[in-house]
Amino acid sequence: MQKLIEKASILTEALPYIKEFSGKTFVIKYGGSAMIDENLKKGVIRDIVLMKYIGIKPVIIHGGGKHVSDLMKKLGKEAVFVSGLRVTDQETVEIAEMVLSGLVNKSIVSMINMAGGQAVGISGKDGSTIEGKKIGGAADLGFVGEITRINSKLIELVDSAEFIPVISPIGQGAGGESLNINADTAASEIASALQAEKLIFLTDVNGILRSLNDENSVIPRLDIRQCREMGSSEAVSSGMIPKLNSCIRALEKGVKKIHIINGKIPHSLLLEIFTREGGGTEITAG
Amino acid sequence: MQKLIEKASILTEALPYIKEFSGKTFVIKYGGSAMIDENLKKGVIRDIVLMKYIGIKPVIIHGGGKHVSDLMKKLGKEAVFVSGLRVTDQETVEIAEMVLSGLVNKSIVSMINMAGGQAVGISGKDGSTIEGKKIGGAADLGFVGEITRINSKLIELVDSAEFIPVISPIGQGAGGESLNINADTAASEIASALQAEKLIFLTDVNGILRSLNDENSVIPRLDIRQCREMGSSEAVSSGMIPKLNSCIRALEKGVKKIHIINGKIPHSLLLEIFTREGGGTEITAG
Amino acid sequence: MQKLIEKASILTEALPYIKEFSGKTFVIKYGGSAMIDENLKKGVIRDIVLMKYIGIKPVIIHGGGKHVSDLMKKLGKEAVFVSGLRVTDQETVEIAEMVLSGLVNKSIVSMINMAGGQAVGISGKDGSTIEGKKIGGAADLGFVGEITRINSKLIELVDSAEFIPVISPIGQGAGGESLNINADTAASEIASALQAEKLIFLTDVNGILRSLNDENSVIPRLDIRQCREMGSSEAVSSGMIPKLNSCIRALEKGVKKIHIINGKIPHSLLLEIFTREGGGTEITAG
Amino acid sequence: MQKLIEKASILTEALPYIKEFSGKTFVIKYGGSAMIDENLKKGVIRDIVLMKYIGIKPVIIHGGGKHVSDLMKKLGKEAVFVSGLRVTDQETVEIAEMVLSGLVNKSIVSMINMAGGQAVGISGKDGSTIEGKKIGGAADLGFVGEITRINSKLIELVDSAEFIPVISPIGQGAGGESLNINADTAASEIASALQAEKLIFLTDVNGILRSLNDENSVIPRLDIRQCREMGSSEAVSSGMIPKLNSCIRALEKGVKKIHIINGKIPHSLLLEIFTREGGGTEITAG
Amino acid sequence: MQKLIEKASILTEALPYIKEFSGKTFVIKYGGSAMIDENLKKGVIRDIVLMKYIGIKPVIIHGGGKHVSDLMKKLGKEAVFVSGLRVTDQETVEIAEMVLSGLVNKSIVSMINMAGGQAVGISGKDGSTIEGKKIGGAADLGFVGEITRINSKLIELVDSAEFIPVISPIGQGAGGESLNINADTAASEIASALQAEKLIFLTDVNGILRSLNDENSVIPRLDIRQCREMGSSEAVSSGMIPKLNSCIRALEKGVKKIHIINGKIPHSLLLEIFTREGGGTEITAG
Amino acid sequence: MQKLIEKASILTEALPYIKEFSGKTFVIKYGGSAMIDENLKKGVIRDIVLMKYIGIKPVIIHGGGKHVSDLMKKLGKEAVFVSGLRVTDQETVEIAEMVLSGLVNKSIVSMINMAGGQAVGISGKDGSTIEGKKIGGAADLGFVGEITRINSKLIELVDSAEFIPVISPIGQGAGGESLNINADTAASEIASALQAEKLIFLTDVNGILRSLNDENSVIPRLDIRQCREMGSSEAVSSGMIPKLNSCIRALEKGVKKIHIINGKIPHSLLLEIFTREGGGTEITAG
């Protein structure tokens, strides 16, 4: 009985946070190990459904690069990358679309449904949610796109009907063609369009590190100015740079707070929301 | 960190209950020690506010007999009881109304406001919420009333605007006179009018006991038939009999479940809601 | 028959006023003899219910100092006043709250209900309607409060659902404590928050007098500038000065018109509304 | 002043009636002298506007046979009647439509607007409100119609937007042709379609008389059975018979009360509504 | 079968126009031969109903001068014109009102109803839609009015309930008197009040001509500046000058496009809407 | 010009059909050649967008077996069929889901967007729209599912927000697993759940044939009884039998009309809707 009372007491500790975030939109970039390890996956999904039930409005944008590479391999296609971006011919973008919008997206939708929520998968084409164009530049990367416009009407419709929107990062070109969009960028732009309270990146690292090789050197708090300085510092891993740029853009466009947290820690989403400390790195406008 | 993860895990354990009770109305009869002891009081209030934030619709009906007796004493009036009912002359009912609708009610409202909720006190006269008439019978009990009709419009209005309704058990007679209404009965009738999911009695005992003097002989589950049998058994304390009758009436009119729990146990309200076992005695229709 | 036709004709004379005030909010400070004499009381209540039915939105703020003093006396407490303000210790504020929110408020509610309206009593704590803090200054007056904020959400909710809001002048301090608020000030601040069309003070005098001792020297019309001058004139009774200051504040914040009328005249409220002349003193912004 | 107080007192006497009829629909057949005499006209219009402002929903159906005859005369056409019905060729029905929907209807609309209301004229063709077909029978009466269906959508739309609907008794045949409809019948059918609280006939007589030639022999109250008996009695004037039949039909279809009153008495509409006695003959279902 | 496929293909050609104009308001001044010739009339009505069904919001303002003159003649009254405006005494304005609001208006309403739409006739008096005053100037023209204010509430109400509003150009003077309003001006002012997408004049000419006597010299496109120049040119017929002035006013007040088209060409309304070329003269702001 | 007038005339010929079907739901099973041939595809898409704009509510359910087989082949998997049903192991159902929900669905969505509509792709998992279970029976067909429940909430939400729902026939099993659902059955069940006006099968044949090998022996009209008889006749191709059974079920559950038409004929959808004859076979309840 004493144990039950303690549990109940923990629930009431969450009250100030529930109150604070009630009715607020949280955009969650879901990727990395937390999307592969079955246990972590279940944990993340439960955390998201809980968020919805206590009045937060979660919006999920998922990645899935690894799954795309897997199918390409099976089909005998080799993945080619130029400065970190996948060269994407017609066949590759079709594979990406099938895997992301067909397999990964619907698998998340189905897991949320099973955990007691009600999810709706949205491709960037549905309701022309993500409009884009091919990335310009020296190398022709094919159907790699940058975002020209977010139409948030469908996301808001789905959210207001108590569904959880789950978005796959496939954009729609001006001629209707499919475009491979970076999921971090998509998350950042969608958070901006929704004027989200929080944009949370579920990653495989503890946050932004002061020393690249020291996992314990997490910087707990950054403002936008420091964020810009980090971009040109050597301390930052190459994989983190586009994330940083996405963060800067999102803050400039009105997102309140950004969190880079470690999806390998169980319930890292809830910890972020329901503790004063959170975890990882928190980035704010000023 | 490990401790935080455990805490988060406890939150997710509450998910199935949150999901189950989302949007449901819980009528809570608030009385006894939990209304007097400062710590218990704070605990109950926090539990109620938490319920509201996670999507349950709590409706509070409070008692306050002890506070009434206190003021009567100060004013030099002696309390007279006939078969457990307070004989209530004009002066007494004015004292009861002042204490219940003025002092006790507003104190609960204010505590809920301080705990992060938004409460609205409702006397049975407000919006003619509780209409009544003087109890008939051998002894003239004065302004002791029985309920003739619940007008739930104001309660529903207040609830739908995200306020927590807190109701004092003063009824309005046909001529506008104040009536002293038994709070258990008021809770039961209001739960019926609202077709509540649960009617919870916060008492000073562990539940309905099999043997009157054995606190550990709580009967965990009763159906309406057993409930009727209890009424004529000797095992039941005289104070419990009107509660039992209220329960039977409420179940007959469509309330789904009734719980008699011990308000002296910290967070007993949450335990009831968020654990399979609950505590105290649960009474159902069949 | 001829008499009936004349009566009907009187009804149609009211048409231009009904049309003019349809949908407008009238805040009425209800106090003085009109709250004590049974006949006057019934008249005021009927007038208010009629106003509601013909499309005006009446909002009542009542006083009740005399009733508070009565109970204090019964309880052997002596009322102490410092520059016209009641020194209010913890026990006194509890008495005030019981009397105002419990007894006086509910008695008005009940009378309105009996007269065919539907009223809802609101304490300043309900929905945190009146937030306040202790008055600063030389003397420690205890729980005498000034208003820091009016939250009009609950009043508007109640009004839009066709109920008549009846407000008792008890405020809620930052820590949830009860505060004794001057009812004239409360009426003025609430009228401002609601951007009322009219703020009407039901008093025991004929209006603002040119010569203090000449009941017939009523000033029919004042503007805000004249009102300020009156404040420093000797012609004004000390009891009228806080009323004048309340008027000035209300006009500055957007209330259209203020009326100081004599509640001892039967139907003085209706006369004010349905005749070109009205009665008492009318104060406007310019 | 005393006179003003008496006037205010008369207003409050109306309160119970205002309360009783608030939100109820009153269908008024407007015809006879009250539509011709300028003073009576102004009185009726003011009464109707007052009704609207105090929460009643008046719906006006007007006649205008005299005006039609006037224009026919000017155009050199002779009115021919067969058993009380105007033989209506194509030219006649055009004249009737012009006069009723163009002149009489808009004149009432305009007078209501001037008296402070907002009226909307509706011909039976607008929104296909009155669908009809030519009356069958021995004599070919041309474009005299009986009602086959009332479409009340437009009336309800107009009413809910705070306009007063004013309906001219021109029906729309299956081929779009205009039909001359008896205004009493139209009023009765519209009252049925709207499930009106009251259907009031403004006539030139004091009500239904016990002795045809004794103006003072008004029968104050009839039920539907007595009404049927009257139909075959000789006491009833021939002009009253179609009215009686309309009444019977309306009561059978759910109209609550029907009143036949004398429009020559000033404010007869208000008298009917705001006095216990009313005037004229009241007919109820039983 | 091949023919059917071609027909279906023509339907799909209309798609871009349907899409472009969906939900937009088109104000149509309906007059001239298209209101007299039975075949043209049927065509126009069908076109209007089709527009409504495919999502356009048509608002009709009709003329009817010829019908007015006809009735005046029958009644032995001679029409007198001063600088193109009908001198309108009391009797004449009554005739105009009867003909326009009673006959012409209801005939259009009825034809629309027969063609599968649902129309509602609105006189400028209904809902005080067209408020006006007598035209000032040298000659006393009697009840010829200019517009002082359009109240579009009733038009919008009717439109939103899926009815097609059909407006007769009779205005309401400050004293409730009827005013004869130029239908072109009424159409222009209503288009302005509704911020219409298009204002279309159905006339008897092909558009604005470069050479007055050459029907083939239609100017396809004008901007507001050119329109002003035309006004002082000799190329423009006297009948066209008020139309030009109406156009200029409408464009200045926010109407997007104005079209002057030939109502004698079958389906000229649809041609205007569903072809790139349209027909007649199109006038835009710049 | 004459040609344009003829075109406009064709548009107005469509009016009665537009009127008849305005606001009605048409469920379209989209498959066969019309989903493969680029020209036919464009035609179908335009027809669907046109339907939406003129007020019909189209709901698309697509197939895509050929595309699934193509990817299986590329991945070296052989398609195995047992009595016409694809044996579907875990890998196969993943391929089906990727192809149907990822590629085919989003390609249709994107084409509709390009043609001026706004589409939203819905997998049977989204919003748990199609719940199912594995088909029982002798042979273990793996993840081939039958429908246990249609949740139409998401479809209706999307439709009411002016989007066109495009549904892929992947169901969600009780454990969240993907199920391969027959698209004809899905269309039929969805039409039933939506109480559709029409269920249209776009096939590669002219309709149901009287003689299997005579393309010109189309039966234009069947009722449900005849439909049942066809099921056991030899005249019906084996591929048509499940369609017939779907039709019978849909009619039993309240779908008004079913059409089996030839998608190879350009604009066959529009022909079906906008001509009296339609084409193909029409099946009704009785």
Side-chain angles (χ1 to χ4, degrees), chain A residues 69-83:
Chain A
S69 299
D70 285 355
L71 183 61
M72 287 182 71
K73 210 164 157 190
K74 281 195 199 162
L75 286 163
K77 280 197 70 94
E78 210 166 326
V80 183
F81 288 84
V82 170
S83 28

Side-chain angles (χ1 to χ4, degrees), chain F residues 209-228:
Chain F
L209 305 179
R210 210 169 295 278
S211 329
L212 203 54
N213 300 319
D214 179 2
E215 279 263 352
N216 295 321
S217 69
V218 173
I219 306 172
R221 219 167 294 266
L222 283 175
D223 63 22
I224 201 171
R225 190 184 49 75
Q226 293 168 313
C227 212
R228 285 201 191 93

Side-chain angles (χ1 to χ4, degrees), chain B residues 153-166:
Chain B
K153 184 183 165 190
L154 178 60
I155 304 175
E156 285 161 5
L157 178 74
V158 155
D159 173 79
S160 70
E162 303 306 325
F163 292 113
I164 299 173
V166 177

Side-chain angles (χ1 to χ4, degrees), chain C residues 194-206:
Chain C
L194 298 173
Q195 293 291 298
E197 182 74 14
K198 284 179 188 274
L199 165 59
I200 304 172
F201 289 97
L202 270 180
T203 68
D204 283 358
V205 295
N206 281 335

